[in-house]
């Protein structure tokens, strides 16, 4: 039932933001790393964020839309499924943190894919109960979750076959990550947003732009030389498509409600969608594409997408009552400080201004840590407001998982 998904998702959210803050601290004070390996911590952090928090929260809302309100209306499989997925996500965090990519953690990751397939198969038909616009977005999201799951199976055979081409190796990873993030998460979040809007104009265009672009955009994610020159061109065009989708979604939000009428967390989501869309259209059009592999900018983009778009919309949809506005403001302010610090570290055009301001790399890393800590505290504050309502036995007739 939704309450179990939400409680596991919230636990994973807490681990995600606390681990992210710790990792930012390690960059400033390496001794904070202790006995762990930083790259293993990165894998653990990303897996619990994507598989635990974002996926379980979105599944909670899909299950709620499919008509499951409480235990009495829950099909038998939904009673054990959230435990299986939630415990697998927590185990994956511990496993990747301690051991990295080894056979047990690979098995755990594969288990996640099997559970995604089970969820998609069982949730597809009950989603007929959802309103038409949301139903289309969520079924599209489920389809792309299956595509991402198939993509997750590619790296193993590629390496087993002894492929050495760095472009193909990068692509084997992106065939999972790009449809997962751009398809499963972005389509799912768009469905939540359109469920809240009164007069959407671009819902159809947003849906088809994301569906068309989310997989081929993977062709533009590697800085290595491709086997054919036209492949990155297809990826560029697809990146522009998903960028335009983000801009149209933000425009629909502003047209339907206006900035002042949007809930505070959705205001943050709208601003982040504009930044996301502008960055994708610009890079797809060739502006700054030489910086595509810059690690600081890649990290900034992922934080913009996950903390700026996905997390605020999921929290706004899952928290039983609107959080106090200052928490959303603090979350946005902390995120923007982090993004500004990462941009200063990654953009050569800002090197002169950074040097003139007397900011060292350590100082910028400290700013990123401070922004991340503020954002993490705000996210935990919003989640804490919803936690009592998610306790078993305290779910109302409509459940806490979705509000309109």
């Amino acid at each position: 039932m939704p309450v179990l998904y939400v409680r596991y998702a919230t636990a994973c959210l807490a681990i995600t933001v606390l681990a992210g803050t710790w990792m930012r601290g390690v960059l400033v004070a390496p001794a904070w790393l202790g006995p762990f390996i930083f790259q293993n911590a990165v894998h653990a952090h990303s897996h619990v964020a994507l598989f635990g928090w974002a996926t379980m929260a979105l599944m909670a809302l899909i299950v709620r839309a499919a008509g499951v309100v409480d235990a009495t209306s829950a099909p038998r499989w939904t009673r054990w499924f959230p435990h299986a997925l939630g415990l697998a996500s927590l185990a994956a965090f511990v496993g990747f943190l301690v051991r990295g990519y080894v056979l047990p953690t690979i098995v755990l990751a594969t288990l996640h894919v099997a559970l995604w397939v089970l969820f998609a198969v069982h949730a597809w038909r009950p989603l007929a109960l959802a309103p038409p616009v949301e139903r289309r977005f969520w079924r599209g999201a489920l389809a792309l979750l299956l595509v991402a799951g198939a993509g997750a199976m590619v790296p193993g055979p590629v390496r087993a076959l002894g492929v050495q081409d760095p472009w193909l190796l990068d692509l084997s990873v992106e065939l999972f990550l790009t449809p997962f993030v751009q398809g499963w998460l972005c389509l799912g979040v768009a469905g939540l947003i359109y469920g809240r809007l009164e007069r959407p104009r671009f819902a159809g265009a947003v849906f088809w732009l994301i569906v068309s672009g989310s997989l081929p955009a993977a062709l533009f994610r590697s800085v290595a030389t491709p086997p054919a020159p036209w492949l990155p061109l297809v990826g560029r065009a697809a990146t522009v498509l998903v960028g335009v989708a983000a801009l149209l979604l933000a425009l629909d939000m502003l047209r339907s409600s206006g900035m002042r009428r949007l809930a505070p967390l959705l205001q943050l989501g709208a601003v982040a969608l504009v930044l996301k869309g502008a960055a994708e259209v610009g890079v797809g059009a060739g502006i700054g594409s030489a910086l595509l592999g810059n690690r600081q900018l890649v990290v900034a983009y992922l934080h913009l997408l996950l903390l700026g778009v996905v997390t605020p919309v999921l929290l706004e949809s899952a928290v039983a009552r609107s959080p106090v506005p200052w928490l959303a403001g603090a979350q946005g302010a902390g995120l923007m400080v982090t993004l500004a610090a990462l941009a200063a570290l990654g953009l050569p055009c800002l090197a002169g201004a950074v040097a003139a301001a007397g900011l060292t790399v350590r100082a910028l890393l400290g700013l990123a840590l401070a922004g991340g800590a503020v954002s993490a505290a705000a996210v935990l504050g919003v989640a804490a407001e919803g936690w009592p309502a998610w306790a078993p036995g305290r779910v109302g007739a409509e459940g806490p998982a979705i509000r309109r």
Side-chain angles (χ1 to χ4, degrees), residues 226-242:
W230 58 268
L231 290 170
L233 297 178
V234 174
R236 280 179 181 272
T239 300
V240 171
L241 294 182
V242 296

Side-chain angles (χ1 to χ4, degrees), residues 247-337:
L247 294 173
L248 291 178
L249 177 55
L251 182 58
D252 254 346
M253 294 171 73
L254 299 176
R255 280 187 62 259
S256 296
S257 301
M259 191 60 135
R260 292 184 179 180
R261 291 182 58 197
L262 283 175
L265 285 172
L266 294 186
Q267 291 180 15
L268 172 57
V271 171
L273 279 168
V274 171
L275 295 176
K276 171 186 180 293
E280 288 164 343
V281 170
V283 170
I287 302 172
S289 56
L291 300 172
L292 195 63
N294 185 295
R295 180 164 181 79
Q296 299 295 345
L297 298 182
V298 169
V299 171
Y301 172 79
L302 290 174
H303 279 72
L304 173 66
L305 176 58
L306 295 174
L307 280 177
V309 178
V310 174
T311 294
V313 175
L314 289 176
L315 282 174
E316 174 62 29
S317 300
V319 173
R321 60 184 184 276
S322 294
V324 292
W326 71 265
L327 283 174
Q331 181 179 340
L335 175 62
M336 294 306 163
V337 169

Side-chain angles (χ1 to χ4, degrees), residues 61-138:
L61 298 165
I62 290 175
V63 168
R64 175 62 181 84
V68 177
V69 176
D70 53 30
T72 61
S73 60
R76 182 174 299 176
W77 75 273
T78 66
R79 301 175 193 178
W80 61 263
F81 182 87
H83 291 298
L85 187 56
L87 293 174
S89 298
L90 297 173
F93 174 78
V94 175
F96 280 108
L97 179 63
V98 175
R99 299 289 305 278
Y101 271 100
V102 292
L103 182 59
T105 54
I106 293 172
V107 170
L108 274 173
T110 305
L111 173 62
H112 277 87
V113 175
L115 291 171
W116 298 344
V117 173
L118 179 65
F119 181 87
V121 169
H122 281 83
W124 189 274
R125 182 174 294 178
L127 275 174
L129 296 174
V133 172
E134 293 153 86
R135 179 171 65 244
R136 177 168 61 169
F137 275 90
W138 287 338

Side-chain angles (χ1 to χ4, degrees), residues 377-399:
V379 167
L380 293 176
V382 175
E385 291 201 7
W387 188 262
W390 301 328
R394 296 189 62 182
V395 183
E398 294 300 318

